[in-house]
Every structure is written in C-alpha cells, then in structure tokens.
Amino acid sequence: MANKVNTYWKNVLIIVPIIGAVVATIIYLLRLYCRRMKALGLLLEDYLMGTGLIISYCATAFVIDTAFNGVGLHVATLPKHEQMRIQFGSWMIQKFWAPSMAFVKISIVVFIKRLFGSIRAYTIISYCLIGFISLWALAALLVNTFQCIPVQYYYDKDLDGHCMKGQVHFFQAMGSIALVEDVIILCLPLPVFWKLKINKRQKIALTMVFSLGGLVCIFSLMRLIEFRKFQLTDLASSSAKESIWTCLELDVAIICGSLPLLNPLVQGLRSKSGGSKYTSQPYTGSSHHLQSMRGNKTGFRELGSDRDRTVSTISKGGNCTAGKSWGSSDIESNRQDGDGTSDMGSIDPVINHRDPE
C-alpha cells in the first residue's frame, strides 16, 4: 500500500509540474513571437515575465526532486537521507515561489499601467502595487530564509538550533496576501472596459480575456487551504498537494499574464482562414473617453494631444485625416513611445471592431 501511495505522488509530482512548465514556456514564447510579428521589440513587462518564468523553473525542479525522495509517505518510514532531501526541497521551493510570483505580478501591473497609464488613478495604483508586491516578496524571501537559526536547521535537525514560532501561520499570511494581490490585479482593468462605448458582447469578450487571471486566484486559494494540513514535522506526507498548487499557481500566472498579448497571432490565424469579419475598423467611441486616455504610452497614439488632433474627427464618425487612418494596425505600430518603444495594443482590434448588438 505504501509503495502505491509513493508511486502515485511520484508520478503526480513529476508529470503535473513538467506539463505546467512546458505550457507556460510555450505561451511565453508565443508572446515573444507576437512582439516580433509587430516588430515592436521587447518591453519591460516581457523581461519581467521572462525572469519570473526562469525562476519558476527552479521551484519546479525542487518539486520534482522531492518526488524521488519518498513524498507522500510518513517521514518515519523514510531513510535519513530522504528525509533531509524532502526538507531541503521544501526549504528551496519557498525561496523561489515569492520572487517568481513577484516578477510575474509586476509584469502584469506594468502592462496594465502601459494601457491605462494616462488615467491618473491607474498610475498611482500601479506604482503602489509594484511597491507593495516588491516589499511582500522581499519579506517572504528573508523570513523564509532565516526562519531557523542556523538556516540549515530547517532541513537538518541534527544541528543545534531553533526555528521561529508560528512558521505555518507565516506561510498562511504570505499566501493570503498573495491572494489579495491577485484579486486586485484581476479587478484593476475591468472598470475601464465597462466604460468603453462598445457593445456588450465586446465588453464581455474583453472581460473574459483579462478575467482568466481568476484561475490564478483559484490555485492561490487551493494552496492556501493546503497549509491548514501542513506539518513541518512530517513534510513528506503533508507537502505533496501544496507543492502541486505552488507549481500550478506559478505556471497559470505566467500563462494568464501572456494570453492577452497573443491577439496578433489570433488575428493572423483568422485572416488566413478568411475571417474577414474580424477586420479592424476605425474606433467610434466617445470623444470623452478618448480624451481620458490622453498621454497614454501604450503604443496607441496620444489621443487628444496637440500633436494628433483627430478626436473631433473621430467623434463625428469620420475617418482620421491627420496623416493615417485610425485602423488597428496604425494604432498598434505607428507611434513610438518616448523611450523608443511601443506596445502592440493587443486589445485594440476587439475595441475597434464594429459589431452592433
């Protein structure tokens, strides 16, 4: 019976993390390919997401390592070296989880700020979130590292040392804060989408794309629930599920953070299949909303700026005559940011597409 339990968890802790890491890597590479399709180059959020992906590989590697050391069985039934390996693996996973999540979350926040940064409230909220996430990750890393004195005492109980009180409560607190961050990031762009002058179907489509981040919240919650069963004295049998949710939380966060940027690939596939109805049309939203996006460095032109006086023309339903039309391809690629970069405007084909209710 014990061998069956060990075999089951060994398979799960090998297959699931590997599949998750592979899918996350593929989605991230497709993200980079979409950047290349638009000849925009990589932006800050792409580097941040890539860093988070690389760090997540380390957490995945140590989860897989625990699979070969009797995970799922009671610690008393394991030889000494396997007990230490599981303890050490658990200690190392903690070191990579928080930094990886921080890079991924900050990448998403930077992307949202690039889309809506001209709205002052979003700029302030974005900077506050970036600062808070950074402090959270630093605190989690430092406390996880020095929760025992000496630090090796966490995985080597033969040493003379001690650990801080309430270790599990600390893990739960860090997980709870991470969940709150996920919810805030998930809800951040939704108010703007529902104020756009587009039909309900388009609003729902935009909301669904960005609401995929809700999956991250689900895995974060499942990981948090597993900490109720977390026993530091028997990590072999109590940490298996928590390790799975940790890997899935990281991988799904990377996937969901990259999916909104794959729109050029989707549009290319649609055009090849003859989907002419998806051809982008000039935006016909209200001039009030366009003016509210003034100065936005997202790769969209600066709407309502002195350099580009097209708002009044658009608000009358006419075509843009200030040089080039307001088709999605122009919005995506014509104007360079002040730092020499531009974003792909991944959501503008949905916004610009005319499809009345």
Side-chain angles (χ1 to χ4, degrees):
M1 182 65 181
N3 289 333
K4 290 183 179 180
V5 172
N6 178 240
T7 301
Y8 170 79
W9 283 113
K10 182 177 180 179
N11 293 335
V12 170
L13 289 173
I14 293 174
I15 296 173
V16 174
I18 289 178
I19 292 177
V22 169
V23 174
T25 302
I26 292 173
I27 297 298
Y28 178 73
L29 292 177
L30 289 176
R31 170 186 179 143
L32 300 185
Y33 177 71
C34 288
R35 293 294 199 193
R36 184 176 181 181
M37 286 177 64
K38 293 298 181 180
L40 296 175
L42 300 183
L43 302 180
L44 176 60
E45 54 265 38
D46 302 313
Y47 290 108
L48 291 170
M49 187 66 76
T51 303
L53 176 62
I54 292 172
I55 298 175
S56 74
Y57 291 155
C58 300
T60 299
F62 280 103
V63 169
I64 295 173
D65 179 70
T66 62
F68 292 94
N69 290 281
V71 70
L73 303 178
H74 290 291
V75 67
T77 64
L78 301 177
K80 187 68 175 181
H81 71 279
E82 288 190 356
Q83 295 180 23
M84 290 186 61
R85 292 290 297 180
I86 289 179
Q87 295 278 147
F88 179 74
S90 172
W91 188 71
M92 291 301 297
I93 292 168
Q94 298 168 23
K95 306 300 170 293
F96 295 112
W97 170 72
S100 179
M101 287 301 300
F103 276 106
V104 172
K105 290 179 182 182
I106 292 175
S107 170
I108 297 172
V109 173
V110 170
F111 172 65
I112 293 174
K113 177 183 176 296
R114 194 179 296 277
L115 286 179
F116 309 121
S118 62
I119 304 175
R120 182 173 177 79
Y122 274 79
T123 300
I124 295 174
I125 293 173
S126 296
Y127 282 127
C128 290
L129 268 176
I130 291 172
F132 183 81
I133 292 171
S134 300
L135 291 175
W136 164 81
L138 180 61
L141 178 61
L142 291 176
V143 177
N144 276 323
T145 301
F146 299 104
Q147 59 185 297
C148 295
I149 303 296
V151 294
Q152 298 92 333
Y153 184 74
Y154 184 92
Y155 54 86
D156 187 359
K157 301 304 181 183
D158 292 335
L159 299 174
D160 291 329
H162 66 278
C163 295
M164 70 178 192
K165 296 181 179 179
Q167 287 172 278
V168 175
H169 294 306
F170 168 76
F171 299 150
Q172 291 174 329
M174 291 295 101
S176 299
I177 295 173
L179 177 58
V180 173
E181 293 169 349
D182 294 337
V183 173
I184 293 174
I185 294 173
L186 173 65
C187 298
L188 197 55
L190 301 185
V192 172
F193 293 157
W194 284 91
K195 289 181 181 179
L196 293 176
K197 300 300 182 180
I198 55 179
N199 63 49
K200 288 184 179 180
R201 189 168 70 178
Q202 292 169 325
K203 291 179 180 179
I204 292 173
L206 282 172
T207 301
M208 288 179 63
V209 170
F210 280 83
S211 293
L212 291 173
L215 294 174
V216 183
C217 298
I218 293 174
F219 288 118
S220 182
L221 178 61
M222 296 302 297
R223 180 177 181 271
L224 186 60
I225 292 173
E226 278 305 311
F227 274 122
R228 298 175 60 183
K229 305 174 184 178
F230 204 68
Q231 299 178 24
L232 291 170
T233 57
D234 192 1
L235 289 176
S237 63
S238 65
S239 65
K241 289 184 180 179
E242 183 270 332
S243 297
I244 290 295
W245 298 128
T246 296
C247 287
L248 290 176
E249 181 185 15
L250 290 171
D251 295 332
V252 172
I254 293 167
I255 293 169
C256 293
S258 298
L259 282 178
L261 293 165
L262 303 188
N263 190 69
L265 185 61
V266 176
Q267 292 295 318
L269 294 175
R270 284 174 173 172
S271 63
K272 288 181 180 179
S273 63
S276 59
K277 68 176 182 177
Y278 294 103
T279 302
S280 300
Q281 301 292 336
Y283 183 62
T284 57
S286 68
S287 61
H288 173 75
H289 172 70
L290 295 176
Q291 291 171 348
S292 72
M293 302 295 288
R294 182 175 182 174
N296 185 16
K297 293 185 178 182
T298 64
F300 298 90
R301 291 181 177 176
E302 287 191 17
L303 309 182
S305 67
D306 293 336
R307 295 177 298 163
D308 195 350
R309 298 183 178 279
T310 62
V311 173
S312 60
T313 305
I314 296 174
S315 63
K316 293 177 183 179
N319 291 328
C320 171
T321 59
K324 291 188 178 182
S325 69
W326 274 95
S328 65
S329 60
D330 296 323
I331 293 176
E332 291 174 0
S333 59
N334 282 343
R335 190 181 65 79
Q336 295 293 318
D337 289 343
D339 58 357
T341 61
S342 64
D343 197 6
M344 69 176 63
S346 62
I347 64 172
D348 70 281
V350 182
I351 296 177
N352 292 331
H353 170 52
R354 288 184 188 173
D355 192 4
E357 296 181 88

